[in-house]
Amino acid sequence: RVAEPALAETVELLASEPYIQISPSMAVHYTGQEVRVPAEMRPFLIRGLVAGGELEVVQAAAGLWVRITGAEPASIKQQPLVVLIDPTPGDIFVTVEPASK
């Protein structure tokens, strides 16, 4: 997840794009922690959400799926993510599944 100090900056960057390829140093800046990028991967800044619950990011073929399960719908807000993936995603899907009652 993007760290709080970089949150407004990354939300603005992703206002018109679902993802942006970034450098390893920008990944460190956005997350506020050390990021080791394996040679076969590339860092991307992607759209995401936070709503409590479990966060899962799955890459399948050229698509990327950001999924939150057990969410509290009233608490949904934007939460950009830094992910290390290859190949470049063609589509990004973000879904939220509410907590069962």
Side-chain angles (χ1 to χ4, degrees), residues 1-6 25-35 82:
R1 293 187 170 134
V2 169
E4 184 64 36
S25 64
M26 290 309 293
V28 170
H29 168 70
Y30 292 146
T31 62
Q33 59 188 350
E34 184 176 339
V35 176
V82 172

Side-chain angles (χ1 to χ4, degrees), residues 21-79:
Q21 186 173 349
I22 58 175
S23 68
S25 64
M26 290 309 293
V28 170
H29 168 70
Y30 292 146
T31 62
Q33 59 188 350
E34 184 176 339
V35 176
R36 294 180 191 261
V37 181
E40 68 277 4
M41 301 291 204
R42 292 176 285 161
F44 286 83
L45 178 65
I46 67 169
R47 288 182 184 168
L49 299 172
V50 66
E54 290 289 318
L55 172 70
E56 179 181 27
V57 179
V58 177
Q59 185 172 19
L64 196 64
W65 182 19
V66 180
R67 176 181 171 205
I68 299 171
T69 55
E72 296 298 327
S75 67
I76 295 174
K77 60 183 178 179
Q78 292 183 24
Q79 174 62 63

